[in-house]
Amino acid sequence: MTAPSDPDRRERRPLRVALLGCGVVGTEVAHGLLENSAELAARAGAPLEVVGIAVRDASREREGVPAALLTEDAEALVDAADVVVELMGGIEPARTLILRALERGASVVTANKQLLAEQGPVLFEAADTARADLSFEAAVAGAIPIVRPVRESLAGDQVQRVLGIVNGTTNYVLDEMTTQGLDLEDVVKRAQELGYAEADPTADVDGYDAAAKAAILASLAFHTRVSIHQVAREGIRHITRDDVEWARRTGYVLKLLAIAERTDEGVAARVHPALVPTDHPLAAVRGAFNAVFVEAEGAGPLMFYGQGAGGRPTASAVLGDVVSAARDRLIGGKGPHESAYASLPVLAADAAITRYQVRLEVADRTGVLAQVAGVLADHGVSIDTVRQSEALTAAFEAEPASEPAPGAVRDEGEPVARLVITTHAAREASLAATVSALRDLEPVRQITSVLRVEGV
Amino acid sequence: MTAPSDPDRRERRPLRVALLGCGVVGTEVAHGLLENSAELAARAGAPLEVVGIAVRDASREREGVPAALLTEDAEALVDAADVVVELMGGIEPARTLILRALERGASVVTANKQLLAEQGPVLFEAADTARADLSFEAAVAGAIPIVRPVRESLAGDQVQRVLGIVNGTTNYVLDEMTTQGLDLEDVVKRAQELGYAEADPTADVDGYDAAAKAAILASLAFHTRVSIHQVAREGIRHITRDDVEWARRTGYVLKLLAIAERTDEGVAARVHPALVPTDHPLAAVRGAFNAVFVEAEGAGPLMFYGQGAGGRPTASAVLGDVVSAARDRLIGGKGPHESAYASLPVLAADAAITRYQVRLEVADRTGVLAQVAGVLADHGVSIDTVRQSEALTAAFEAEPASEPAPGAVRDEGEPVARLVITTHAAREASLAATVSALRDLEPVRQITSVLRVEGV
């Protein structure tokens, strides 16, 4: 028998908690720690004492936060804490302060996805070396518990794939485009007015935020370090109202997905817009909500749904990590944390295997479909279905067609047929070569769009 | 600083795992432990050695399970184990064996919802006394990680309400009734043929299985012991095709919900069919899938979705608990487990406050609506909307009306109006009194149905 350690030797004095940063999330975390201290002490097993909050300007007042707690000396604060909560964001000085805390054996809780996605290996190795907790539930999908379920609840299972809607802004944009029939630019403008989107929406719209989360999810699910630089990334900037409408008419919803998957060859992570079948649980994720869909060998499909951003939801995830870190310290050990024991190869972007929907305009002549199908066959891409747009409703036809690509030859007098081809699973590289060859095919007037299909 | 304990003092010898029971789930757990031992050892931090599997008849062969592991002496097996996995089901001998294991300081993992719902207090107190782990992820919603997210990820938050679809059979039945327009009996028959429903469907159809899970969820969410005997329970046996059709036409889907909620007065748990708005995430949970929707103060709405039953999914949850129990033993402490520190009062069934939809048939005369509304007002029940069925489509009218209640007076010559009244939130007791008074109202011909509305 391995007997549990003697409970009387456990530490019961207050655990000293330091906050680094006091923005929207930091303020909420401070309120939570200060206002619910009795409840948190009961759950953690000891009082959690806020020893200070490091800010850039300690003279500026924060509502509900005692001025005496504010300090500009982050290093001294780190050195005085058992648990360091980093909510500054960005790379520096967050990175240096976290490493300093870990080296001292303090437990660290962070919501900093950018730092984890770029510097994860360094941070996790430092945590391993110091045998200290490094928790990051709030960094992946805000309030949604995903780190703990994947790491602990699925510890006896094998994750095969993760499909995540992890960026609320782009989900809101695509949802509005779908339900209101609006153009991307108009929705982004409205999202900015509502405060859902930043003045510079690049991080969201071009998929950088989702790519950081994809890297963290892939590392977590496959026990392998994956950095943001290894994530293939494509945003939603090029998505048109036509794309959204065609998705609907062919039984799909357009979502920006962060995908992490394991194949026989290794693991891969990518972010791109994808067609998701309307009856897939991810299709029902509306507005700015997030969801992470996990396919595991034993458990089968699982989905975790909730708010992916916002001060209070993010603070909830941070506080959960703080309580866990405190409990781990009290039982005298560190919690099981992300370990890269599997170290699987991380695959290049063009190794991804998925289905595609290609929309194209061709000259409406006999034999064209055979020519197109021939190009796909030559590249080993197998066709699932081909539809002619004419089979859809006339209402759609009345809408203006997309602009032809620059340089596209268009004979205004010649009748044009629109084709929608859905493929079976094919390698990204084969599809790219196929599209390139289709573009060169004489009767092809335009490749209107190429979208991946996921969740089938 | 509370320093983590010296890692060199940690136990690294194999942890001895005993399985009690080798049915569908037990066999899958045995396969998992035997076939993935290297992966599990990496995750747990030490090898997991299966020391034996207690069965009633050790001479019967089990596929993929070495006969040498089978034993009929469960007590001796319990005494030789670090981690005891109870998958026998039922109250005895499971209860006695679990208590024996806990008293010896072994960690216990169980999927036995019936035992937890009936004997939870005894078992958790024994675990507390022995400072041993008692884990039960598989007992609530099969493969869906819900225990760990609620207990740990939300440890810094306050759960307000839990709405769960926790019985796959009844969800399948209601879903088929909804999509195929079938009667309950026919769908239950089909579910039995498909193996989704037991020959005696009472445990599912009458809500006993869901009530056990509601008790466990309430205990978990509110840190208060709630037993199955404190759960108000109503099954789906009385649900008609008409109910399902009316739900659809008024913007709802009928689901059997396990509800645990916290009010200013205490906590309450109940199970009953409920109308859920079609745009609520729970409405999209189809077929035999389960989902648990959690409303937390900070995190806001969260949902956990997946398979609630089946050998492999349940085994995944059990194995996750086994790995966690092993890790906890290796770090020399016990994991944070369900503690009843809050001990809130458990409220009686008629204290529940919710919205209702009442369908009734009244004599089609001037002034009847005022009389009906008067009865509701007299009982303090406020009306949200009143619809006349005639406002719905004629197609529905063509369907046969429900049978009048026994003793209902029906004047065949008199025109009858159908009313659908949706109330604002009202106390269960007030509603019961209202319905009783409506039944006695002269122009009321029949109370066709009374259904609660949740998730609004």
Side-chain angles (χ1 to χ4, degrees):
Chain A
M1 294 282 315
T2 312
S5 67
D6 182 354
D8 300 327
R9 278 172 29 225
R10 294 177 193 176
E11 200 76 37
R12 285 291 178 272
R13 67 162 176 78
L15 283 161
R16 289 163 304 189
V17 180
L19 302 192
L20 308 182
C22 199
V24 177
V25 177
T27 306
E28 290 291 347
V29 171
H31 290 174
L33 287 168
L34 297 169
E35 289 160 22
N36 305 319
S37 53
E39 183 96 20
L40 293 175
R43 295 181 188 180
L48 302 177
E49 182 198 343
V50 181
V51 290
I53 306 173
V55 292
R56 226 171 292 176
D57 176 6
S59 66
R60 190 162 72 78
E61 281 183 30
R62 269 85 176 170
E63 207 189 312
V65 178
L69 286 178
L70 301 178
T71 172
E72 290 172 18
D73 190 348
E75 296 195 352
L77 191 59
V78 163
D79 293 350
D82 298 309
V83 180
V84 173
V85 183
E86 186 274 307
L87 302 166
M88 314 173 101
I91 303 297
E92 286 296 354
R95 178 180 172 280
T96 303
L97 290 167
I98 287 176
L99 288 174
R100 185 183 181 106
L102 292 172
E103 278 157 22
R104 292 192 64 261
S107 305
V108 172
V109 175
T110 179
N112 193 331
K113 55 186 178 274
Q114 194 197 345
L115 180 60
L116 286 170
E118 293 199 6
Q119 303 275 329
V122 176
L123 300 177
F124 285 109
E125 274 166 42
D128 277 341
T129 305
R131 299 182 190 270
D133 267 349
L134 174 56
S135 316
F136 53 97
E137 186 64 87
V140 185
I144 308 175
I146 181 70
V147 174
R148 201 164 274 110
V150 168
R151 206 162 55 178
E152 300 177 35
S153 306
L154 292 173
D157 205 331
Q158 202 75 259
V159 175
Q160 294 163 317
R161 182 184 297 178
V162 180
L163 302 176
I165 296 174
V166 291
N167 181 272
T169 305
T170 46
N171 202 57
Y172 169 82
V173 169
L174 292 173
D175 194 31
E176 287 287 294
M177 287 176 73
T178 303
T179 56
Q180 314 289 322
L182 298 171
D183 283 322
L184 182 114
E185 279 178 29
D186 297 334
V187 182
V188 170
K189 233 174 266 168
R190 191 197 288 179
Q192 285 167 329
E193 286 161 14
L194 291 168
Y196 288 177
E198 305 285 334
D200 174 6
T202 303
D204 297 320
V205 171
D206 294 327
Y208 291 97
D209 174 76
K213 291 164 177 171
I216 301 172
L217 282 171
S219 306
L220 184 69
F222 307 122
H223 312 280
T224 293
R225 306 257 183 265
V226 179
S227 104
I228 189 170
H229 308 294
Q230 295 169 303
V231 179
R233 179 190 51 75
E234 178 187 315
I236 65 166
R237 206 176 278 273
H238 61 87
I239 297 296
T240 65
R241 202 156 43 139
D242 268 21
D243 290 330
V244 167
E245 177 63 16
W246 270 100
R248 196 178 69 73
R249 284 167 192 257
T250 51
Y252 299 98
V253 179
L254 253 173
K255 297 288 183 189
L256 180 69
L257 296 187
I259 301 171
E261 56 192 350
R262 180 181 179 156
T263 68
D264 292 341
E265 301 156 55
V267 304
R270 52 198 161 96
V271 166
H272 53 69
L275 297 166
V276 176
T278 46
D279 60 356
H280 192 282
L282 284 172
V285 177
R286 306 288 307 277
F289 273 86
N290 281 18
V292 181
F293 187 83
V294 177
E295 295 169 19
E297 205 177 285
L302 296 169
M303 192 172 82
F304 304 87
Y305 166 98
Q307 295 187 69
R312 294 204 72 195
T314 308
S316 166
V318 169
L319 287 168
D321 276 351
V322 171
V323 170
S324 285
R327 284 167 163 172
D328 284 346
R329 298 190 79 82
L330 292 171
I331 60 173
K334 63 172 295 209
H337 78 261
E338 168 58 8
S339 140
Y341 68 82
S343 297
L344 300 171
V346 181
L347 307 177
D350 62 0
I353 295 174
T354 185
R355 291 159 174 260
Y356 297 85
Q357 190 180 88
V358 181
R359 279 164 46 216
L360 66 169
E361 292 181 15
V362 297
D364 194 5
R365 313 178 204 136
T366 314
V368 172
L369 185 56
Q371 278 181 280
V372 168
V375 169
L376 274 84
D378 288 348
H379 291 83
V381 176
S382 161
I383 294 175
D384 180 29
T385 57
V386 178
R387 302 176 216 228
Q388 286 231 25
S389 70
E390 283 64 27
L392 299 177
T393 80
F396 184 71
E397 291 303 296
E399 291 188 19
S402 309
E403 288 297 304
V409 182
R410 192 153 197 173
D411 177 353
E412 291 295 335
E414 186 191 43
V416 163
R418 287 168 171 182
L419 299 180
V420 183
I421 300 174
T422 309
T423 74
H424 286 296
R427 205 169 269 272
E428 181 96 16
S430 311
L431 200 273
T434 306
V435 169
S436 177
L438 283 174
R439 246 185 253 284
D440 293 342
L441 201 66
E442 187 275 323
V444 170
R445 295 292 163 263
Q446 183 179 239
I447 307 288
T448 317
S449 87
V450 180
L451 289 165
R452 295 170 192 83
V453 180
E454 300 288 346
V456 186
Chain B
M1 292 283 315
T2 312
S5 66
D6 182 351
D8 300 327
R9 277 173 30 226
R10 293 177 194 177
E11 201 76 37
R12 284 292 179 271
R13 69 163 174 78
L15 283 160
R16 289 164 301 190
V17 180
L19 302 192
L20 309 182
C22 199
V24 177
V25 177
T27 305
E28 289 291 346
V29 170
H31 290 174
L33 288 168
L34 297 169
E35 288 160 22
N36 305 318
S37 54
E39 184 96 21
L40 292 175
R43 295 182 187 179
L48 303 176
E49 181 199 343
V50 181
V51 290
I53 306 173
V55 292
R56 226 170 292 176
D57 176 7
S59 66
R60 190 160 73 77
E61 281 183 29
R62 270 85 176 170
E63 207 189 311
V65 178
L69 287 178
L70 301 177
T71 171
E72 290 172 17
D73 190 348
E75 296 195 353
L77 191 59
V78 164
D79 293 350
D82 299 308
V83 179
V84 173
V85 183
E86 185 274 307
L87 302 167
M88 315 173 100
I91 303 298
E92 287 296 355
R95 178 180 173 280
T96 303
L97 290 168
I98 287 176
L99 288 174
R100 186 183 181 106
L102 291 171
E103 279 156 22
R104 292 194 64 260
S107 305
V108 172
V109 175
T110 178
N112 193 332
K113 55 186 178 274
Q114 194 198 345
L115 180 60
L116 286 170
E118 292 199 7
Q119 303 274 329
V122 176
L123 300 177
F124 286 109
E125 273 165 43
D128 278 342
T129 306
R131 298 182 191 272
D133 267 349
L134 173 56
S135 315
F136 55 96
E137 186 64 88
V140 185
I144 307 174
I146 183 70
V147 174
R148 202 165 275 110
V150 168
R151 205 162 56 179
E152 300 177 36
S153 306
L154 293 172
D157 205 330
Q158 201 76 259
V159 175
Q160 294 163 317
R161 182 183 298 178
V162 179
L163 303 176
I165 296 174
V166 290
N167 180 272
T169 304
T170 46
N171 201 58
Y172 170 82
V173 169
L174 292 172
D175 194 31
E176 288 287 295
M177 288 177 74
T178 303
T179 54
Q180 314 290 323
L182 298 171
D183 283 322
L184 182 114
E185 279 177 31
D186 297 333
V187 182
V188 170
K189 234 174 265 169
R190 190 197 290 180
Q192 286 167 329
E193 285 160 16
L194 290 168
Y196 288 178
E198 305 285 332
D200 175 6
T202 304
D204 296 321
V205 171
D206 294 327
Y208 290 97
D209 174 76
K213 291 163 177 172
I216 301 172
L217 281 170
S219 305
L220 184 70
F222 307 122
H223 312 279
T224 293
R225 306 254 184 267
V226 179
S227 102
I228 189 170
H229 308 293
Q230 295 169 303
V231 179
R233 179 189 50 76
E234 177 186 316
I236 65 166
R237 206 176 278 274
H238 62 86
I239 297 297
T240 64
R241 202 156 43 138
D242 268 21
D243 291 330
V244 167
E245 177 63 15
W246 270 100
R248 196 178 69 75
R249 284 168 191 256
T250 51
Y252 299 99
V253 179
L254 253 174
K255 296 288 182 190
L256 180 69
L257 296 186
I259 301 171
E261 57 191 350
R262 181 182 177 154
T263 68
D264 292 341
E265 302 157 54
V267 304
R270 52 199 162 97
V271 166
H272 53 69
L275 298 166
V276 176
T278 46
D279 60 356
H280 191 283
L282 284 172
V285 178
R286 306 288 306 276
F289 273 86
N290 282 18
V292 181
F293 188 83
V294 177
E295 295 169 18
E297 204 177 285
L302 297 169
M303 191 172 81
F304 305 86
Y305 165 97
Q307 295 187 69
R312 294 204 71 196
T314 308
S316 167
V318 169
L319 287 168
D321 275 351
V322 170
V323 170
S324 285
R327 284 166 163 172
D328 284 347
R329 298 191 78 81
L330 292 172
I331 61 174
K334 63 173 293 209
H337 77 260
E338 168 58 9
S339 136
Y341 68 81
S343 297
L344 301 170
V346 180
L347 306 176
D350 62 359
I353 296 174
T354 186
R355 290 158 176 263
Y356 297 84
Q357 189 180 86
V358 181
R359 278 163 48 214
L360 66 169
E361 292 181 15
V362 297
D364 194 5
R365 314 179 202 135
T366 314
V368 172
L369 185 56
Q371 278 181 280
V372 167
V375 169
L376 273 85
D378 289 347
H379 291 83
V381 177
S382 163
I383 294 175
D384 180 29
T385 58
V386 178
R387 303 175 214 226
Q388 287 231 25
S389 69
E390 284 64 27
L392 298 178
T393 80
F396 184 68
E397 290 303 297
E399 291 187 19
S402 308
E403 288 298 304
V409 182
R410 192 152 197 174
D411 177 353
E412 291 296 335
E414 186 190 42
V416 164
R418 288 166 171 183
L419 300 179
V420 183
I421 301 174
T422 309
T423 74
H424 286 296
R427 206 168 267 272
E428 181 96 16
S430 312
L431 199 274
T434 306
V435 170
S436 176
L438 282 175
R439 247 186 251 284
D440 294 342
L441 200 67
E442 187 275 323
V444 171
R445 296 292 163 263
Q446 181 177 243
I447 307 290
T448 318
S449 87
V450 180
L451 288 166
R452 296 170 191 83
V453 180
E454 300 287 345
V456 186

